[in-house]
Amino acid sequence: MLKKRNSGLLAFIMGIMLVAVFAFAFTACGDGGENGNGNGSGNGTGNGNGQGNGGGTDPRPSSPQTMSSKTAMQYFTDEGLTVGINVGNTLDAVINWVDSSYPAASPTNPIAVETAWGNPKANQAYFNGVKNLGFKIVRIPVTWLGHIGSAPDYKIEEAYLVRVAEVVNMAHNAGLKAFINIHHDGHHDFHGWLDIVKAASDQTVTDKYVKVWTQIAEYFKNYGDYLMFQGFNEIHDGSWKAGGSQAEYNIINDWNQKFTNAVRGTGGNNASRYLLYYGYMVSTEIATDSKFILPTDTASGKQIVGFHYYSPWEFQGAATNTAYTTADENALKTAFAAFKTKYVDNNIPVIIGENGPSRYANHSANPGYSAANAVTAKANRLNFIDLLYGTARSNGIVPFFWENGTFDASYTEGDFSLINRSNGQANSTESAEVIQRMITAINSAAPPGGGTPPAPPPGGNAVDLGSYTYGLQEDGVTANYQQAVWNLTPAQVTAAKASGAKLVLQLSSAPADTMQFVWQNPATESWWNSKDILGSTGSPLNSSVTWNAGTKTLTINLDSNTVNNYTAFTTAASLNLILAYYGSSNIDDLGITSARLE
């Protein structure tokens, strides 16, 4: 979706779319609309008059990383990928006005610039924060406008590929999975080259699409299964309306097939990479309309389907309405159920690549704004999150909120910002409440295929620690994938230090090697207080640690048997908790689906 920030150009109104902290963990000596660490300092000039944002060195893995043999559905299930978020208005941002810093840019020659729409460059603290907030996967929209050379090669400038890779690496270092795509290159207001209208009579559009994707796939070929590709974003004829014709779907289906062929054709890890497909105008109609056809694929079970859902736009997007109707609720339930029937029940994961609802705000297209209406709108926003996220989870669908980092009253839509892009924390009390409501709605919903939500902890007084980040090697920069880190809030610190407290972890796989429990006190810079809790076969080393093979629950009583220097632990003003597992190269292999203090 376009959350547009144009200096000197008024943001346009999008039509309604029923569519779709930081822990120093040193190593022990033992779409209605739409990682290396570092920000990069290069300014390479591109063949397409663009200017690069990369750091100039190759940030890619030097050899192929691990790829899963699992189907996409198995992968999503085993990795607990139930809720995601967009890194919007960043790598997708575009300068399409006259700007002295980018003299080649103009309304007819837009250039993708990371900071164009008011956000700082993506950074590691931001991604660490996203993971700590409870998200496990991000969608990183990428616009390539101004960074692609001329025909016949359409060469993508190296510096821009470097910067995209740096951002992907940051997400991975934080323990997040990620999608990248071709985003606003199909946007009519930006004179995007991926134009479905032009493609009907000009084969060069499709030729360019294939060559661009071949280069992207080749560049990212060594990345592991945590990186997924999405072919394109919101493709339409300029009207922002769903309901593509057969001729338009012929092009959409052809592009999806050619995208698949281009990625698979580069070989290596791309031969089995997970790929995401959209229909015309990212619409929900692909769940019911036979015109949309998934491509033939040489890799079995590696396909994902997506749509965007901003309906009703006046409530979710423009946020001029303070409420939604029963009809809106029923339409949502019907649409999501159709995706479950056609795709989820046939072992094809489904994501909502973008959704709201945004915050009711005093913006240029909301003349009826009032403080009283804002109170009503907030309550209904939270209720709609319960509806959308809960219904998505019960149908096996993964929602990705369109988070765009900044809000400007000149926008013609509500406030989609939730996260401070400098530190990865919620940017307001309401945003924190909204994020928590999302996570709670997902975790409380009955999972697809029947069953019940996870049972609440005994006594109802457990403290959820949320998702973990990875630790860091001794250089303080390189991720240590054998460590899971939780940076505790003040309330969590109190719970951890309480007499009789225990850390309870729900796993997908049984531990099979040594594990250490480590705590840190950032306030005193006490960084590595460790004690072995599991032996070389994964068995508990004392009675304060128990493993329930039936429920796959690891319980660690936080006492002198498990906590090194327990007295200091109980007086620490701040705490990070770490599990260091030496049974594999990545602690993700344990499949930690929840962590709580009781």
Side-chain angles (χ1 to χ4, degrees), residues 15-39:
I16 180 172
M17 294 178 57
L18 175 54
V19 293
V21 221
F22 184 75
F24 286 97
F26 295 109
T27 305
C29 295
D31 320 318
E34 330 195 47
N35 209 5
N37 177 18
N39 292 328

Side-chain angles (χ1 to χ4, degrees), residues 47-67:
N47 295 323
N49 296 319
Q51 297 188 20
N53 301 298
T57 58
D58 194 337
R60 294 173 294 174
S62 58
S63 59
Q65 296 178 320
T66 301
M67 291 293 284

Side-chain angles (χ1 to χ4, degrees), residues 201-361:
S201 59
D202 188 346
Q203 185 58 34
T204 62
V205 176
T206 299
D207 178 53
K208 184 174 183 178
Y209 179 67
V210 171
K211 289 178 178 177
V212 168
W213 257 119
T214 299
Q215 292 176 78
I216 297 171
E218 182 66 35
Y219 190 85
F220 289 94
K221 182 164 63 175
N222 280 351
Y223 279 77
D225 49 23
Y226 58 86
L227 178 62
M228 310 173 214
F229 297 158
Q230 172 200 346
F232 48 75
N233 189 44
E234 295 157 343
I235 299 297
H236 56 88
D237 62 5
S239 67
W240 293 97
K241 293 180 180 179
S245 67
Q246 184 62 64
E248 288 168 326
Y249 262 102
N250 288 343
I251 296 173
I252 291 292
N253 294 336
D254 181 55
W255 284 357
N256 278 331
Q257 184 65 65
K258 285 184 165 61
F259 160 61
T260 305
N261 296 346
V263 173
R264 300 292 182 234
T266 61
N269 282 354
N270 288 332
S272 60
R273 191 170 305 282
Y274 301 116
L275 303 180
L276 170 62
Y277 303 96
Y278 278 5
Y280 182 85
M281 194 45 204
V282 293
S283 171
T284 58
E285 67 192 14
I286 64 172
T288 57
D289 195 327
S290 61
K291 293 195 295 290
F292 177 74
I293 301 172
L294 279 172
T296 301
D297 194 352
T298 54
S300 178
K302 302 294 183 176
Q303 297 182 334
I304 305 162
V305 167
F307 65 101
H308 293 180
Y309 202 84
Y310 287 110
S311 180
W313 175 254
E314 290 83 357
F315 176 75
Q316 277 215 76
T320 52
N321 286 356
T322 61
Y324 57 96
T325 68
T326 300
D328 296 327
E329 180 176 349
N330 291 336
L332 181 152
K333 291 178 178 178
T334 298
F336 290 12
F339 276 93
K340 181 178 185 297
T341 298
K342 184 168 183 178
Y343 298 111
V344 177
D345 289 349
N346 290 296
N347 293 314
I348 299 174
V350 177
I351 75 164
I352 307 174
E354 297 178 15
N355 61 262
S358 65
R359 181 179 66 87
Y360 178 85

